[in-house]
Amino acid sequence: MALIVQKYGGTSVGDPERIKNVARRIARFRSMGHQVVVVVSAMSGETNRLIALAKSIQDNPDPRELDVMLSTGEQVTIALLAMALKELGLKAKSYTGSQVRIVTDNAHTKARILSIDEDNIRTALNEGQVVVVAGFQGVDENGNITTLGRGGSDTTGVALAAALRADECQIYTDVDGVYTTDPRIVPEARRLETITFEEMLELASLGSKVLQIRSVEFAGKYKVKLRVLSSFDEGGDGTLITFEDDDKMEKAIISGIAFNRDEAKITVLGVPDKPGIAYQILGPVAEANIDVDMIIQNVGADGTTDFTFTVHRNEYAKAIGILKNVQAHIGAREISGDEKIAKVSVVGVGMRSHVGIASAMFRTLAEEGINIQMISTSEIKISVVIDEKYLELAVRVLHKAFNLEQGGSPLLV
Ligand code: ADP
Ligand code: ASP
Ligand code: MG
């Protein structure tokens, strides 16, 4: 008998038929004698609908009230799934985040889980119940409802698996595993049987939304056995996130390509080229709690230089406003920006031992006439910022150039 945590995403619980389908899958695991804790998302489209509703009242919805509202999406699904399980003759009990007691910090709309009280769940499991938990939500120490950021049900699933020391955490979604890139953009993308935790962390942080980054961080920290599977197929093995770099004979140099349309670029032109200037520009941005991703400072000429960085698109207007306020103080000539950019990244642990990946990437983009605006690298990834309109083309040509549909042998390098 194993203890399994299963998480079902929005599409997988998108209508009553799909919820019944999920209930039947859970029933099969129960009939094999396993204990099952299920985490569910809101029905597909529901979180977006609620956000739009809030914005129809307040342009910038109050974060505390937004969380009160968003948490209702998942609350509906847990009740429906518990009903569907009871219809099948199973014992089932639904729990909101606060009923479990998933305690988070108080950063509304992007809270972090601090602790999970597992007693209620253990008791219910010992009674033979299927425990159905609302994803994406918790409570802070004062009892305020919080949410964990978009895609946060993945993190609830993995955090519960860690707290309960579950044998496996299964993330059921609308694709049958982690692919070399988003299969909706590149139909030739290939499912990976395994991917290292390190690579998955990079892919998630660079925009592959198949797993929320914090869920991967949790899995790494607590050594949770994590698998991504399809809720629509039967019997597939999905993709297992592994901790060790297994010694496959032919290890691909590149494992996958991630992309992100959520960033915007800001350039501060004609600032004095002197010590402290980066701090003067980014200090006020950081104080406003705005995360900065890529940063470039040009070589100075005539005692001035240009400084460019990227922020999340949601925070673009705010960041521009902050910089306009300090423009005179910094002595900048102009503040400009571009919201229509995208970031494309190639990721692979094999890059550590191979040179030439960056030049292969740059050549491939150049051959398509795609201009690279910014570059950043780490040991296992190379990211470039390009014009958003070339994003899909860039992902497709890179996928082909690195031969990812056939196992990623490094034809190009
Ligand atoms: P859920 O609602 O189940 O949480 P998400 O929409 O959050 O599902 O995540 C699944 C989606 O992630 C897929 O439908 C796919 O379009 C996208 N995706 C992006 N990159 C990848 C990738 N490398 N492998 C698989 N899916 C990916
Ligand atoms: N319902 C939330 C969202 O749409 C959380 C999740 O689905 O993981 O982001
Ligand atoms: Mg998701």
Side-chain angles (χ1 to χ4, degrees), residues 148-203:
L148 310 180
R150 299 307 303 267
S153 299
D154 297 333
T155 302
T156 307
V158 178
L160 278 172
L164 295 164
R165 287 170 290 281
D167 295 284
E168 184 161 313
C169 180
Q170 302 172 339
I171 305 286
Y172 287 94
T173 183
D174 53 7
V175 285
D176 63 351
V178 178
Y179 278 68
T180 46
T181 193
D182 189 338
R184 294 186 203 290
I185 302 293
V186 182
E188 296 78 27
R190 193 172 42 86
R191 181 176 60 83
L192 300 163
E193 273 171 34
T194 61
I195 182 165
T196 64
F197 160 75
E198 214 182 347
E199 288 167 318
M200 194 62 238
L201 204 55
E202 283 286 356
L203 286 177

Side-chain angles (χ1 to χ4, degrees), residues 180-339:
T180 46
T181 193
D182 189 338
R184 294 186 203 290
I185 302 293
V186 182
E188 296 78 27
R190 193 172 42 86
R191 181 176 60 83
L192 300 163
E193 273 171 34
T194 61
I195 182 165
T196 64
F197 160 75
E198 214 182 347
E199 288 167 318
M200 194 62 238
L201 204 55
E202 283 286 356
L203 286 177
S205 79
L206 295 167
S208 300
K209 66 169 186 167
V210 60
L211 286 175
Q212 198 201 34
I213 175 143
R214 284 189 193 157
S215 72
V216 189
E217 287 169 355
F218 255 104
K221 190 163 169 197
Y222 296 100
K223 292 272 185 290
V224 174
K225 187 173 177 197
L226 181 60
R227 198 183 281 281
V228 177
L229 302 137
S230 164
S231 65
F232 300 114
D233 291 354
E234 289 307 323
D237 288 334
T239 300
L240 181 69
I241 321 297
T242 58
F243 291 96
E244 298 302 320
D245 203 1
D246 59 8
D247 40 24
K248 269 189 235 149
M249 290 291 281
E250 274 182 81
K251 179 78 189 131
I253 296 173
I254 306 294
S255 292
I257 301 175
F259 54 86
N260 184 348
R261 291 186 175 92
D262 294 340
E263 290 186 25
K265 187 175 83 169
I266 297 177
T267 303
V268 185
L269 291 140
V271 289
D273 190 12
K274 61 172 194 204
I277 198 66
Y279 175 64
Q280 278 186 33
I281 294 172
L282 295 180
V285 175
E287 269 164 37
N289 221 348
I290 298 176
D291 284 331
V292 169
D293 181 19
M294 284 163 127
I295 304 172
I296 287 184
Q297 182 174 342
N298 288 354
V299 176
D302 310 326
T304 68
T305 186
D306 302 334
F307 194 91
T308 304
F309 59 95
T310 62
V311 295
H312 196 283
R313 250 182 232 187
N314 288 344
E315 296 181 313
Y316 173 72
K318 192 172 164 195
I320 292 268
I322 289 168
L323 290 169
K324 293 237 151 118
N325 276 338
V326 294
Q327 180 175 358
H329 173 69
I330 301 170
R333 192 177 68 242
E334 194 188 329
I335 315 268
S336 72
D338 185 355
E339 281 185 273

Side-chain angles (χ1 to χ4, degrees), residues 7 9-10 41-42 47-48 74 136 149-154:
K7 176 260 169 176
S41 291
T47 307
N48 288 343
E74 273 69 12
F136 174 61
R150 299 307 303 267
S153 299
D154 297 333

Side-chain angles (χ1 to χ4, degrees), residues 16-30:
E17 269 320 305
R18 288 184 174 172
I19 291 176
K20 289 181 195 169
N21 191 40
V22 166
R24 283 191 286 271
R25 183 184 299 270
I26 294 165
R28 283 198 296 280
F29 277 88
R30 284 294 291 140

